[in-house]
Amino acid sequence: MSLPRNPTEKQRNFFQEVHEVVRLVPTGRVTTYGAIAHYLGARHGARMVGWAMMAAHTADAYVPAHRVVNRNGLLTGRQHYTSPTAMQEALEAEGIRVEEDQVVDFKRLFWDPATELE
DNA sequence: CTTCTGACTGAAA
DNA sequence: GTTTCAGCCAGAA
């Protein structure tokens, strides 16, 4: 799997939708790929959200991708960072404790856009 | 056209 | 608690 070298207009919109939601995540809180997919209408699978997150690295605006984890609270995207510990350090800098690549008290820190934004 | 893969998820065993 | 499986959409070979 690889990124499109020349993103089309449609792809750009898709990335913007996902990135916009991620930017809404408050500091010190986290959300999941599935929650974002559900908020966007579940028209695409959670995999597509993860795919869009990969593009966050090359996005124009900053995207706090470290606040997006999988449903288990695991930092599955850490391998895509410049360093394998960058994601965890970014979370800890916001007061989120991470142990064994997993967000501590994930259930309490979880921020669901579909619920919080209503 | 088919096939495979992926920063995923939910159900089933 | 675990492992396994089948959907899921987009893109590349």
Side-chain angles (χ1 to χ4, degrees):
Chain A
M1 195 56 200
S2 60
L3 275 175
R5 303 190 177 200
N6 299 305
T8 65
E9 190 68 23
K10 182 179 181 181
Q11 290 168 340
R12 180 177 289 182
N13 289 337
F14 171 70
F15 293 147
Q16 285 183 346
E17 280 185 305
V18 176
H19 296 170
E20 181 180 353
V21 177
V22 176
R23 290 193 208 99
L24 294 177
V25 180
T27 302
R29 303 291 296 279
V30 294
T31 190
T32 69
Y33 304 95
I36 295 173
H38 178 67
Y39 177 73
L40 294 179
R43 51 197 156 204
H44 47 265
R47 303 187 103 120
M48 297 304 94
V49 176
W51 178 63
M53 294 310 301
M54 175 178 56
H57 185 272
T58 59
D60 295 335
Y62 170 70
V63 178
H66 58 276
R67 297 184 191 142
V68 184
V69 296
N70 74 351
R71 74 175 187 87
N72 295 313
L74 292 174
L75 281 57
T76 53
R78 54 182 248 147
Q79 286 293 328
H80 293 261
Y81 279 75
T82 54
S83 77
T85 57
M87 188 174 184
Q88 177 174 340
E89 290 174 357
L91 288 171
E92 291 178 338
E94 298 182 353
I96 300 176
R97 293 199 304 141
V98 178
E99 294 180 2
E100 299 295 320
D101 295 346
Q102 188 170 7
V103 176
V104 178
D105 205 4
F106 167 69
K107 188 175 183 180
R108 182 179 64 84
L109 296 175
F110 175 61
W111 184 86
D112 183 6
T115 300
E116 302 292 338
L117 298 178
E118 291 182 283

